[in-house]
Amino acid sequence: MEQHHRGQWGSNLGFLLAAVGSAVGLGNIWGFPYKMGVSGGFAFLIIYLILAVLVGFPIMLCELAIGRRAGRSVLVSYQQVDKGMGTFLGFLAMLSPFLILSFYTVLGAYCIEYMSLNLADMAFGVAAMAGMSGGDTFGAMLTNQFGSIAFTFVFIFVCFLIIRGGIKDGIEKFNKIGMPALFIMLVIVIVRAVTLPGAGEGLAFMFAPNFEPFTNFKSFLSVLSLAGGQMFFSLSLAMGITVTYGSYLSKKESLVKNSLIIIISDTLVAIMAGMAVLPAAFALGGADSAKAGPKLLFITLQDVFNAMGPAGPMFGVIFYLLVLLAAITSAIALLEVLVTFLSDRVALKGRTPNRKKLVTIVCLVVFAEAALVAADGLGSNGLWIPFNSTGRPLGSTWLDFMDFISEGVAMPLGALLMSFWIGWLVGPKLVRDEVELENHRMSSGLYGFFNFCIKVIVPLAMAFILYGMVHDFVTIPPQ
Ligand code: PFF
Protein backbone atom coordinates (compact mmCIF):
# COMPACT_ATOMS: atom_id res chain seq x y z
CA MET A 1 0.00 0.00 0.00
CA GLU A 2 1.29 3.45 -0.90
CA GLN A 3 2.25 5.41 2.19
CA HIS A 4 2.24 9.03 1.12
CA HIS A 5 1.32 10.28 4.58
CA ARG A 6 4.43 8.81 6.16
CA GLY A 7 7.31 10.50 4.37
CA GLN A 8 10.88 9.26 4.60
CA TRP A 9 14.29 10.43 5.74
CA GLY A 10 15.75 12.94 3.29
CA SER A 11 19.11 11.14 3.27
CA ASN A 12 20.93 8.37 5.06
CA LEU A 13 22.98 11.01 6.89
CA GLY A 14 19.73 12.58 8.08
CA PHE A 15 18.55 9.20 9.36
CA LEU A 16 21.86 8.58 11.10
CA LEU A 17 21.90 11.97 12.81
CA ALA A 18 18.33 11.43 13.99
CA ALA A 19 19.05 7.89 15.17
CA VAL A 20 22.23 8.99 16.95
CA GLY A 21 20.24 11.96 18.30
CA SER A 22 17.70 9.57 19.74
CA ALA A 23 20.43 7.43 21.24
CA VAL A 24 22.54 10.27 22.62
CA GLY A 25 20.57 11.71 25.48
CA LEU A 26 20.41 12.05 29.22
CA GLY A 27 21.40 8.40 29.39
CA ASN A 28 24.82 9.27 27.96
CA ILE A 29 25.51 12.53 29.67
CA TRP A 30 23.88 11.88 33.00
CA GLY A 31 23.38 8.12 33.39
CA PHE A 32 26.67 6.84 31.98
CA PRO A 33 29.05 8.98 34.07
CA TYR A 34 27.14 8.55 37.30
CA LYS A 35 26.67 4.80 36.88
CA MET A 36 30.34 4.51 36.03
CA GLY A 37 31.06 6.57 39.14
CA VAL A 38 29.13 4.27 41.46
CA SER A 39 30.32 0.99 39.96
CA GLY A 40 34.06 1.08 39.85
CA GLY A 41 34.76 3.10 36.69
CA PHE A 42 36.74 0.85 34.41
CA ALA A 43 34.86 -2.38 35.31
CA PHE A 44 31.60 -0.80 34.25
CA LEU A 45 33.14 0.45 31.01
CA ILE A 46 34.41 -3.00 30.02
CA ILE A 47 31.10 -4.75 30.69
CA TYR A 48 29.27 -2.01 28.85
CA LEU A 49 31.46 -2.41 25.76
CA ILE A 50 31.12 -6.20 25.71
CA LEU A 51 27.34 -5.97 26.06
CA ALA A 52 27.10 -3.35 23.32
CA VAL A 53 28.76 -5.76 20.87
CA LEU A 54 27.14 -9.04 21.93
CA VAL A 55 23.67 -7.80 22.88
CA GLY A 56 23.18 -4.25 21.60
CA PHE A 57 24.24 -4.93 18.02
CA PRO A 58 22.02 -8.00 17.37
CA ILE A 59 18.97 -6.33 18.91
CA MET A 60 19.50 -3.13 16.97
CA LEU A 61 19.83 -5.09 13.72
CA CYS A 62 16.59 -6.97 14.49
CA GLU A 63 14.69 -3.79 15.30
CA LEU A 64 15.87 -1.89 12.22
CA ALA A 65 15.11 -4.90 10.00
CA ILE A 66 11.63 -5.46 11.45
CA GLY A 67 10.76 -1.76 11.15
CA ARG A 68 12.02 -1.33 7.63
CA ARG A 69 10.48 -4.60 6.48
CA ALA A 70 7.00 -3.41 7.42
CA GLY A 71 7.39 0.34 6.93
CA ARG A 72 4.88 0.78 9.74
CA SER A 73 4.59 1.74 13.41
CA VAL A 74 6.19 -0.52 16.00
CA LEU A 75 2.94 -2.33 16.77
CA VAL A 76 2.07 -3.09 13.15
CA SER A 77 5.70 -3.92 12.32
CA TYR A 78 5.78 -6.56 15.05
CA GLN A 79 2.34 -7.83 14.11
CA GLN A 80 3.51 -8.34 10.55
CA VAL A 81 6.08 -10.79 11.86
CA ASP A 82 3.53 -12.67 13.95
CA LYS A 83 0.17 -11.49 15.18
CA GLY A 84 0.04 -12.96 18.70
CA MET A 85 3.48 -12.28 20.10
CA GLY A 86 3.81 -9.21 17.87
CA THR A 87 0.81 -7.56 19.48
CA PHE A 88 2.13 -8.17 22.98
CA LEU A 89 5.65 -6.98 22.15
CA GLY A 90 4.33 -4.01 20.21
CA PHE A 91 2.31 -2.72 23.14
CA LEU A 92 5.15 -3.44 25.56
CA ALA A 93 7.49 -1.46 23.31
CA MET A 94 5.11 1.49 23.36
CA LEU A 95 4.55 1.41 27.09
CA SER A 96 8.22 2.22 27.75
CA PRO A 97 8.47 5.45 25.72
CA PHE A 98 5.19 6.59 27.20
CA LEU A 99 6.39 6.10 30.77
CA ILE A 100 9.91 7.32 30.09
CA LEU A 101 8.51 10.56 28.68
CA SER A 102 6.88 11.25 32.05
CA PHE A 103 10.27 11.89 33.61
CA TYR A 104 12.49 12.53 30.61
CA THR A 105 10.62 15.74 29.89
CA VAL A 106 10.93 16.83 33.53
CA LEU A 107 14.68 16.24 33.46
CA GLY A 108 14.78 18.22 30.22
CA ALA A 109 12.95 21.01 32.05
CA TYR A 110 15.58 20.92 34.82
CA CYS A 111 18.24 21.44 32.15
CA ILE A 112 16.42 24.59 30.97
CA GLU A 113 16.26 25.81 34.56
CA TYR A 114 19.94 25.14 35.20
CA MET A 115 20.93 26.76 31.95
CA SER A 116 18.89 29.83 32.95
CA LEU A 117 20.46 29.86 36.38
CA ASN A 118 23.97 29.95 34.95
CA LEU A 119 22.92 32.46 32.31
CA ALA A 120 21.57 34.78 35.01
CA ASP A 121 24.76 34.39 36.95
CA MET A 122 26.83 35.15 33.88
CA ALA A 123 24.73 38.19 33.01
CA PHE A 124 24.22 39.77 36.41
CA GLY A 125 26.85 38.13 38.53
CA VAL A 126 24.10 37.54 41.05
CA ALA A 127 26.09 34.57 42.10
CA ALA A 128 22.69 33.08 41.72
CA MET A 129 24.26 30.84 43.88
CA ALA A 130 25.47 33.52 46.28
CA GLY A 131 26.32 31.28 49.10
CA MET A 132 24.00 28.61 47.74
CA SER A 133 25.55 25.20 47.22
CA GLY A 134 24.55 22.95 44.32
CA GLY A 135 22.43 21.03 46.80
CA ASP A 136 20.56 24.17 47.95
CA THR A 137 19.86 25.18 44.36
CA PHE A 138 18.60 21.75 43.48
CA GLY A 139 16.36 21.61 46.54
CA ALA A 140 14.93 25.05 45.77
CA MET A 141 14.11 23.96 42.23
CA LEU A 142 12.47 20.68 43.25
CA THR A 143 10.20 22.25 45.82
CA ASN A 144 9.09 24.99 43.43
CA GLN A 145 6.26 22.98 41.89
CA PHE A 146 4.91 25.74 39.70
CA GLY A 147 8.33 26.40 38.16
CA SER A 148 8.95 22.71 37.48
CA ILE A 149 5.57 22.24 35.83
CA ALA A 150 5.93 25.43 33.80
CA PHE A 151 9.38 24.49 32.49
CA THR A 152 8.17 20.97 31.74
CA PHE A 153 5.52 22.60 29.59
CA VAL A 154 8.17 24.70 27.85
CA PHE A 155 10.29 21.62 27.15
CA ILE A 156 7.35 19.69 25.71
CA PHE A 157 6.31 22.72 23.67
CA VAL A 158 9.76 22.92 22.05
CA CYS A 159 9.51 19.22 21.17
CA PHE A 160 6.02 19.82 19.82
CA LEU A 161 7.28 22.58 17.51
CA ILE A 162 9.94 20.25 16.14
CA ILE A 163 7.99 17.07 15.55
CA ARG A 164 4.89 18.62 14.12
CA GLY A 165 7.10 19.36 11.07
CA GLY A 166 7.32 15.64 10.33
CA ILE A 167 10.16 13.18 9.86
CA LYS A 168 12.20 15.04 7.24
CA ASP A 169 11.29 18.68 7.87
CA GLY A 170 11.01 18.42 11.63
CA ILE A 171 13.06 15.70 13.26
CA GLU A 172 15.77 15.35 10.63
CA LYS A 173 16.23 19.10 10.23
CA PHE A 174 16.60 19.71 13.97
CA ASN A 175 19.07 16.87 14.43
CA LYS A 176 21.19 18.10 11.52
CA ILE A 177 21.91 21.27 13.46
CA GLY A 178 21.52 20.01 17.02
CA MET A 179 23.84 17.03 16.88
CA PRO A 180 26.94 18.78 15.48
CA ALA A 181 26.34 21.66 17.94
CA LEU A 182 26.12 19.19 20.80
CA PHE A 183 29.37 17.54 19.75
CA ILE A 184 31.26 20.83 19.58
CA MET A 185 30.02 21.90 23.02
CA LEU A 186 30.97 18.55 24.47
CA VAL A 187 34.52 18.93 23.16
CA ILE A 188 34.76 22.42 24.73
CA VAL A 189 33.63 21.10 28.10
CA ILE A 190 36.02 18.14 27.93
CA VAL A 191 38.98 20.41 27.19
CA ARG A 192 38.09 22.52 30.25
CA ALA A 193 37.49 19.47 32.46
CA VAL A 194 40.65 17.54 31.68
CA THR A 195 42.87 20.60 32.10
CA LEU A 196 41.67 21.27 35.65
CA PRO A 197 44.36 20.48 38.21
CA GLY A 198 43.69 17.02 39.63
CA ALA A 199 41.63 15.86 36.65
CA GLY A 200 44.09 13.04 35.99
CA GLU A 201 42.62 11.00 38.81
CA GLY A 202 39.23 11.08 37.16
CA LEU A 203 40.73 9.85 33.89
CA ALA A 204 42.58 7.08 35.71
CA PHE A 205 39.33 6.06 37.41
CA MET A 206 37.75 5.62 33.98
CA PHE A 207 40.56 4.00 32.06
CA ALA A 208 43.04 2.34 34.45
CA PRO A 209 42.28 -1.41 34.62
CA ASN A 210 40.42 -2.34 37.80
CA PHE A 211 38.68 -5.69 38.10
CA GLU A 212 37.68 -5.47 41.73
CA PRO A 213 33.90 -5.58 41.18
CA PHE A 214 34.40 -8.92 39.40
CA THR A 215 35.79 -10.63 42.46
CA ASN A 216 32.43 -11.58 43.87
CA PHE A 217 29.33 -12.77 42.07
CA LYS A 218 26.93 -10.35 43.70
CA SER A 219 28.83 -7.25 42.74
CA PHE A 220 29.45 -8.69 39.27
CA LEU A 221 25.70 -9.17 38.82
CA SER A 222 25.08 -5.64 40.02
CA VAL A 223 27.54 -4.15 37.53
CA LEU A 224 26.14 -6.40 34.80
CA SER A 225 22.56 -5.29 35.31
CA LEU A 226 23.50 -1.65 35.72
CA ALA A 227 25.65 -1.68 32.57
CA GLY A 228 23.08 -3.77 30.67
CA GLY A 229 20.16 -1.54 31.56
CA GLN A 230 22.24 1.50 30.71
CA MET A 231 23.28 0.05 27.37
CA PHE A 232 19.66 -0.63 26.37
CA PHE A 233 18.43 2.75 27.49
CA SER A 234 21.34 4.53 25.88
CA LEU A 235 21.03 2.77 22.53
CA SER A 236 17.25 3.35 22.63
CA LEU A 237 16.56 -0.36 22.30
CA ALA A 238 13.38 -2.29 23.16
CA MET A 239 11.45 0.95 23.22
CA GLY A 240 9.97 0.97 19.77
CA ILE A 241 12.10 3.81 18.51
CA THR A 242 14.62 1.88 16.44
CA VAL A 243 11.74 0.00 14.80
CA THR A 244 9.92 3.29 14.19
CA TYR A 245 12.92 5.15 12.76
CA GLY A 246 13.82 2.05 10.73
CA SER A 247 10.33 2.08 9.22
CA TYR A 248 11.15 5.38 7.53
CA LEU A 249 14.43 4.09 6.09
CA SER A 250 14.98 3.42 2.40
CA LYS A 251 15.55 -0.17 1.27
CA LYS A 252 18.79 0.93 -0.35
CA GLU A 253 20.59 1.58 2.92
CA SER A 254 22.79 -0.91 4.74
CA LEU A 255 21.31 -1.96 8.07
CA VAL A 256 24.55 -3.47 9.36
CA LYS A 257 26.57 -0.34 8.64
CA ASN A 258 23.91 1.92 10.13
CA SER A 259 23.63 -0.20 13.30
CA LEU A 260 27.39 -0.09 13.80
CA ILE A 261 27.59 3.65 13.25
CA ILE A 262 24.79 4.31 15.75
CA ILE A 263 26.35 2.04 18.39
CA ILE A 264 29.86 3.40 17.96
CA SER A 265 28.73 7.05 18.00
CA ASP A 266 26.52 6.58 21.03
CA THR A 267 29.25 4.78 22.95
CA LEU A 268 31.80 7.38 21.97
CA VAL A 269 29.58 10.20 23.22
CA ALA A 270 28.94 8.34 26.50
CA ILE A 271 32.68 7.94 27.07
CA MET A 272 33.24 11.59 26.10
CA ALA A 273 30.52 12.63 28.56
CA GLY A 274 32.35 10.60 31.21
CA MET A 275 35.51 12.54 30.32
CA ALA A 276 33.64 15.82 30.70
CA VAL A 277 32.02 14.99 34.00
CA LEU A 278 34.18 12.64 36.05
CA PRO A 279 37.54 14.47 35.84
CA ALA A 280 35.78 17.73 36.78
CA ALA A 281 34.08 16.06 39.73
CA PHE A 282 37.38 14.51 40.86
CA ALA A 283 39.29 17.75 40.40
CA LEU A 284 36.94 20.01 42.30
CA GLY A 285 35.21 17.67 44.70
CA GLY A 286 37.45 14.64 45.17
CA ALA A 287 36.77 10.96 44.56
CA ASP A 288 33.61 10.90 46.65
CA SER A 289 31.79 13.46 44.57
CA ALA A 290 32.28 11.31 41.47
CA LYS A 291 30.30 8.65 43.28
CA ALA A 292 27.39 11.00 43.94
CA GLY A 293 25.00 8.91 41.84
CA PRO A 294 22.07 10.62 40.16
CA LYS A 295 22.91 13.88 41.94
CA LEU A 296 26.11 14.17 39.91
CA LEU A 297 24.58 16.21 37.10
CA PHE A 298 22.57 18.74 39.05
CA ILE A 299 24.37 19.03 42.37
CA THR A 300 28.00 18.02 41.99
CA LEU A 301 28.49 19.68 38.64
CA GLN A 302 26.80 22.90 39.70
CA ASP A 303 29.24 22.97 42.61
CA VAL A 304 32.03 22.45 40.08
CA PHE A 305 30.85 25.45 38.02
CA ASN A 306 30.49 27.53 41.19
CA ALA A 307 34.07 26.71 42.11
CA MET A 308 35.52 27.51 38.71
CA GLY A 309 35.67 31.25 39.20
CA PRO A 310 34.41 33.91 36.77
CA ALA A 311 34.28 31.57 33.77
CA GLY A 312 32.26 28.99 35.72
CA PRO A 313 28.78 30.24 34.73
CA MET A 314 29.78 30.33 31.08
CA PHE A 315 30.81 26.68 31.20
CA GLY A 316 27.60 26.04 33.11
CA VAL A 317 25.55 27.54 30.28
CA ILE A 318 27.41 25.55 27.63
CA PHE A 319 27.15 22.34 29.61
CA TYR A 320 23.44 22.50 30.44
CA LEU A 321 22.63 23.65 26.92
CA LEU A 322 24.39 20.61 25.55
CA VAL A 323 22.51 18.32 27.93
CA LEU A 324 19.30 20.07 26.92
CA LEU A 325 19.98 19.48 23.23
CA ALA A 326 20.68 15.83 23.93
CA ALA A 327 17.42 15.59 25.87
CA ILE A 328 15.40 17.23 23.09
CA THR A 329 16.75 14.99 20.32
CA SER A 330 15.85 11.95 22.43
CA ALA A 331 12.47 13.20 23.61
CA ILE A 332 11.34 13.88 20.05
CA ALA A 333 12.22 10.28 19.22
CA LEU A 334 10.19 8.99 22.16
CA LEU A 335 7.25 11.14 21.12
CA GLU A 336 7.54 9.98 17.52
CA VAL A 337 6.96 6.36 18.55
CA LEU A 338 3.51 7.35 19.80
CA VAL A 339 2.78 9.75 16.95
CA THR A 340 3.69 7.17 14.31
CA PHE A 341 1.52 4.60 16.09
CA LEU A 342 -1.54 6.87 15.99
CA SER A 343 -0.85 8.13 12.52
CA ASP A 344 -0.52 4.63 11.03
CA ARG A 345 -3.69 3.56 12.81
CA VAL A 346 -5.63 6.37 11.20
CA ALA A 347 -4.11 5.55 7.80
CA LEU A 348 -4.96 1.86 8.14
CA LYS A 349 -8.57 2.87 8.59
CA GLY A 350 -8.37 4.52 5.18
CA ARG A 351 -8.27 8.11 6.44
CA THR A 352 -5.49 10.66 6.00
CA PRO A 353 -3.78 11.35 9.31
CA ASN A 354 -3.66 14.93 10.54
CA ARG A 355 -0.15 15.00 11.94
CA LYS A 356 -0.45 18.30 13.76
CA LYS A 357 -3.55 17.13 15.57
CA LEU A 358 -1.98 13.83 16.57
CA VAL A 359 1.21 15.52 17.77
CA THR A 360 -0.90 17.90 19.87
CA ILE A 361 -2.81 15.03 21.47
CA VAL A 362 0.35 13.07 22.28
CA CYS A 363 2.07 16.15 23.74
CA LEU A 364 -0.92 17.00 25.91
CA VAL A 365 -1.23 13.50 27.31
CA VAL A 366 2.50 13.39 27.99
CA PHE A 367 2.30 16.77 29.69
CA ALA A 368 -0.41 15.44 32.01
CA GLU A 369 1.74 12.56 33.27
CA ALA A 370 4.90 14.69 33.34
CA ALA A 371 3.16 17.34 35.45
CA LEU A 372 2.73 14.69 38.13
CA VAL A 373 6.42 13.81 38.11
CA ALA A 374 7.34 17.51 38.08
CA ALA A 375 5.04 18.22 41.02
CA ASP A 376 6.55 15.32 42.92
CA GLY A 377 9.99 16.99 42.65
CA LEU A 378 11.84 13.70 43.17
CA GLY A 379 9.81 12.99 46.26
CA SER A 380 10.46 16.42 47.82
CA ASN A 381 6.83 17.50 48.00
CA GLY A 382 5.14 14.71 49.89
CA LEU A 383 2.98 13.44 47.03
CA TRP A 384 1.40 10.02 47.37
CA ILE A 385 3.40 7.35 45.54
CA PRO A 386 2.13 3.87 44.62
CA PHE A 387 3.35 0.87 46.57
CA ASN A 388 5.52 2.99 48.76
CA SER A 389 4.07 2.05 52.11
CA THR A 390 7.08 0.08 53.20
CA GLY A 391 9.65 2.51 51.98
CA ARG A 392 10.86 1.01 48.76
CA PRO A 393 9.09 -1.76 46.85
CA LEU A 394 8.36 0.15 43.69
CA GLY A 395 10.07 3.43 44.16
CA SER A 396 10.33 6.29 46.54
CA THR A 397 9.52 8.90 43.91
CA TRP A 398 7.21 9.02 40.90
CA LEU A 399 10.31 9.14 38.72
CA ASP A 400 11.64 5.92 40.27
CA PHE A 401 8.29 4.27 39.83
CA MET A 402 7.96 5.17 36.14
CA ASP A 403 11.60 4.28 35.54
CA PHE A 404 11.28 0.90 37.21
CA ILE A 405 8.25 -0.14 35.18
CA SER A 406 9.82 1.00 31.90
CA GLU A 407 13.59 0.62 32.14
CA GLY A 408 13.54 -2.00 34.88
CA VAL A 409 10.85 -4.36 33.62
CA ALA A 410 9.22 -3.59 30.25
CA MET A 411 12.49 -3.00 28.43
CA PRO A 412 14.52 -6.06 29.55
CA LEU A 413 11.44 -8.27 29.36
CA GLY A 414 10.68 -7.02 25.85
CA ALA A 415 14.26 -7.63 24.72
CA LEU A 416 14.31 -11.09 26.30
CA LEU A 417 11.07 -12.12 24.60
CA MET A 418 12.06 -10.53 21.31
CA SER A 419 15.39 -12.35 21.10
CA PHE A 420 13.73 -15.65 21.96
CA TRP A 421 10.97 -15.01 19.45
CA ILE A 422 13.25 -14.04 16.57
CA GLY A 423 16.00 -16.50 17.49
CA TRP A 424 13.93 -19.63 18.10
CA LEU A 425 10.37 -19.21 16.85
CA VAL A 426 10.42 -16.93 13.80
CA GLY A 427 14.05 -17.64 12.90
CA PRO A 428 16.88 -15.17 12.30
CA LYS A 429 16.54 -15.62 8.54
CA LEU A 430 13.82 -12.96 8.57
CA VAL A 431 16.42 -10.42 9.62
CA ARG A 432 18.97 -11.69 7.13
CA ASP A 433 16.49 -11.40 4.25
CA GLU A 434 15.84 -7.75 5.07
CA VAL A 435 19.53 -7.00 5.58
CA GLU A 436 20.43 -8.55 2.23
CA LEU A 437 18.05 -6.46 0.13
CA GLU A 438 19.56 -4.46 -2.74
CA ASN A 439 22.74 -6.53 -2.85
CA HIS A 440 23.89 -5.94 0.72
CA ARG A 441 25.48 -9.28 1.51
CA MET A 442 25.63 -10.54 5.09
CA SER A 443 28.77 -12.70 5.27
CA SER A 444 28.36 -16.17 6.74
CA GLY A 445 30.70 -15.20 9.59
CA LEU A 446 28.54 -12.23 10.50
CA TYR A 447 25.34 -14.23 10.16
CA GLY A 448 26.81 -16.98 12.37
CA PHE A 449 27.72 -14.37 15.00
CA PHE A 450 24.28 -12.78 14.84
CA ASN A 451 22.56 -16.17 14.97
CA PHE A 452 24.51 -17.28 18.04
CA CYS A 453 24.04 -13.98 19.86
CA ILE A 454 20.31 -13.71 19.23
CA LYS A 455 19.67 -17.34 20.18
CA VAL A 456 21.94 -17.76 23.17
CA ILE A 457 23.82 -14.70 24.43
CA VAL A 458 21.01 -12.15 24.31
CA PRO A 459 18.37 -14.24 26.12
CA LEU A 460 20.89 -15.26 28.78
CA ALA A 461 22.19 -11.74 29.29
CA MET A 462 18.68 -10.31 29.37
CA ALA A 463 17.53 -12.85 31.94
CA PHE A 464 20.44 -11.87 34.22
CA ILE A 465 19.84 -8.18 33.61
CA LEU A 466 16.13 -8.48 34.36
CA TYR A 467 16.84 -10.42 37.54
CA GLY A 468 19.55 -7.97 38.62
CA MET A 469 17.35 -4.94 37.93
CA VAL A 470 14.42 -6.22 39.94
CA HIS A 471 16.64 -7.51 42.73
CA ASP A 472 18.63 -4.27 43.07
CA PHE A 473 15.55 -2.15 42.82
CA VAL A 474 13.74 -3.95 45.58
CA THR A 475 16.71 -4.26 47.92
CA ILE A 476 18.94 -1.20 47.42
CA PRO A 477 17.66 1.96 49.08
CA PRO A 478 17.22 4.94 46.77
CA GLN A 479 20.11 7.42 46.50
N1 PFF B 1 18.77 6.86 24.47
C1 PFF B 1 18.27 7.96 25.21
C2 PFF B 1 19.28 8.35 26.27
O1 PFF B 1 20.34 7.76 26.36
O2 PFF B 1 19.00 9.27 27.02
C3 PFF B 1 16.94 7.67 25.85
C4 PFF B 1 15.94 7.19 24.90
C5 PFF B 1 15.58 7.96 23.83
C6 PFF B 1 15.41 5.96 25.04
C7 PFF B 1 14.70 7.50 22.91
C8 PFF B 1 14.52 5.48 24.14
C9 PFF B 1 14.17 6.26 23.07
F1 PFF B 1 13.28 5.82 22.25
Side-chain angles (χ1 to χ4, degrees):
M1 181 184 167
E2 196 47 272
Q3 299 179 34
H4 287 306
H5 75 277
R6 293 189 107 249
Q8 222 183 30
W9 302 108
S11 64
N12 196 51
L13 179 69
F15 159 75
L16 273 174
L17 284 171
V20 173
S22 134
V24 170
L26 294 167
N28 302 61
I29 300 171
W30 181 34
F32 189 86
Y34 98 65
K35 288 177 189 169
M36 202 167 174
V38 292
S39 49
F42 180 81
F44 177 88
L45 179 62
I46 288 300
I47 299 242
Y48 184 94
L49 293 176
I50 294 174
L51 286 174
V53 176
L54 299 183
V55 180
F57 171 67
I59 297 267
M60 181 162 295
L61 201 58
C62 279
E63 293 199 2
L64 280 180
I66 291 173
R68 192 180 69 173
R69 178 175 175 271
R72 290 276 176 210
S73 71
V74 56
L75 178 65
V76 182
S77 296
Y78 279 150
Q79 284 175 329
Q80 286 195 3
V81 178
D82 168 75
K83 190 102 186 152
M85 184 69 148
T87 306
F88 179 72
L89 279 179
F91 276 112
L92 200 63
M94 279 193 305
L95 177 70
S96 298
F98 179 68
L99 296 178
I100 289 173
L101 276 164
S102 73
F103 60 86
Y104 212 84
T105 51
V106 177
L107 296 170
Y110 292 168
C111 295
I112 304 182
E113 295 191 64
Y114 267 73
M115 189 183 71
S116 317
L117 176 81
N118 284 279
L119 202 59
D121 200 25
M122 195 174 142
F124 306 107
V126 278
M129 315 98 177
M132 272 174 102
S133 67
D136 297 335
T137 318
F138 194 50
M141 183 183 72
L142 294 181
T143 46
N144 177 3
Q145 290 173 305
F146 176 76
S148 300
I149 295 176
F151 280 101
T152 301
F153 181 84
V154 173
F155 181 85
I156 295 176
F157 188 65
V158 172
C159 296
F160 163 82
L161 292 179
I162 298 166
I163 63 169
R164 91 192 156 138
I167 291 293
K168 183 161 157 268
D169 296 325
I171 297 181
E172 181 171 341
K173 217 170 177 179
F174 183 79
N175 277 292
K176 271 187 168 160
I177 302 166
M179 289 312 289
L182 183 151
F183 193 79
I184 293 168
M185 287 190 277
L186 189 54
V187 172
I188 296 174
V189 180
I190 292 177
V191 171
R192 175 66 280 209
V194 299
T195 50
L196 288 167
E201 268 180 69
L203 291 174
F205 176 71
M206 289 180 71
F207 300 116
N210 156 28
F211 297 100
E212 206 210 299
F214 301 159
T215 48
N216 89 57
F217 188 65
K218 242 178 108 187
S219 65
F220 170 71
L221 200 63
S222 251
V223 179
L224 181 73
S225 67
L226 203 65
Q230 170 64 23
M231 188 270 297
F232 261 77
F233 187 78
S234 188
L235 293 178
S236 301
L237 296 175
M239 284 178 249
I241 187 59
T242 310
V243 180
T244 304
Y245 274 15
S247 77
Y248 293 102
L249 190 61
S250 146
K251 299 276 184 199
K252 284 199 224 89
E253 306 304 341
S254 158
L255 297 183
V256 172
K257 191 182 85 195
N258 279 326
S259 304
L260 289 175
I261 295 178
I262 299 169
I263 293 174
I264 292 171
S265 318
D266 183 70
T267 307
L268 194 71
V269 174
I271 296 175
M272 286 172 74
M275 291 170 66
V277 172
L278 291 171
F282 263 83
L284 293 164
D288 279 347
S289 62
K291 297 184 186 137
K295 299 184 202 107
L296 190 61
L297 191 77
F298 295 114
I299 296 185
T300 314
L301 277 185
Q302 187 54 50
D303 278 333
V304 167
F305 297 127
N306 289 349
M308 259 185 193
M314 186 187 76
F315 283 104
V317 174
I318 299 177
F319 181 76
Y320 290 110
L321 177 61
L322 102 85
V323 190
L324 174 62
L325 270 180
I328 294 176
T329 53
S330 293
I332 54 181
L334 290 161
L335 288 163
E336 186 56 42
V337 176
L338 306 173
V339 172
T340 297
F341 164 68
L342 293 176
S343 154
D344 280 1
R345 254 194 111 75
V346 174
L348 281 174
K349 286 190 184 141
R351 285 183 274 136
T352 308
N354 177 341
R355 185 174 173 94
K356 290 197 172 79
K357 190 168 129 198
L358 297 177
V359 172
T360 310
I361 296 173
V362 168
C363 287
L364 284 176
V365 174
V366 166
F367 175 62
E369 56 163 356
L372 180 69
V373 176
D376 183 39
L378 301 185
S380 309
N381 301 316
L383 249 61
W384 173 85
I385 290 151
F387 308 103
N388 197 33
S389 53
T390 56
R392 180 56 163 175
L394 279 185
S396 56
T397 70
W398 272 100
L399 189 154
D400 280 338
F401 175 70
M402 301 291 199
D403 186 39
F404 177 64
I405 305 289
S406 52
E407 205 189 337
V409 179
M411 188 199 73
L413 183 66
L416 174 63
L417 293 177
M418 206 261 259
S419 55
F420 192 79
W421 183 48
I422 296 293
W424 295 98
L425 302 177
V426 176
K429 195 173 161 301
L430 174 131
V431 175
R432 181 189 201 160
D433 289 347
E434 184 65 30
V435 167
E436 291 199 326
L437 290 180
E438 306 259 352
N439 294 327
H440 289 291
R441 242 183 63 69
M442 191 172 186
S443 70
S444 54
L446 182 62
Y447 185 60
F449 171 78
F450 170 72
N451 195 11
F452 180 67
C453 289
I454 205 75
K455 282 191 166 137
V456 182
I457 309 258
V458 181
L460 268 179
M462 289 325 296
F464 273 116
I465 291 169
L466 182 61
Y467 172 79
M469 286 266 201
V470 177
H471 176 268
D472 281 2
F473 192 85
V474 185
T475 54
I476 298 179
Q479 308 226 13

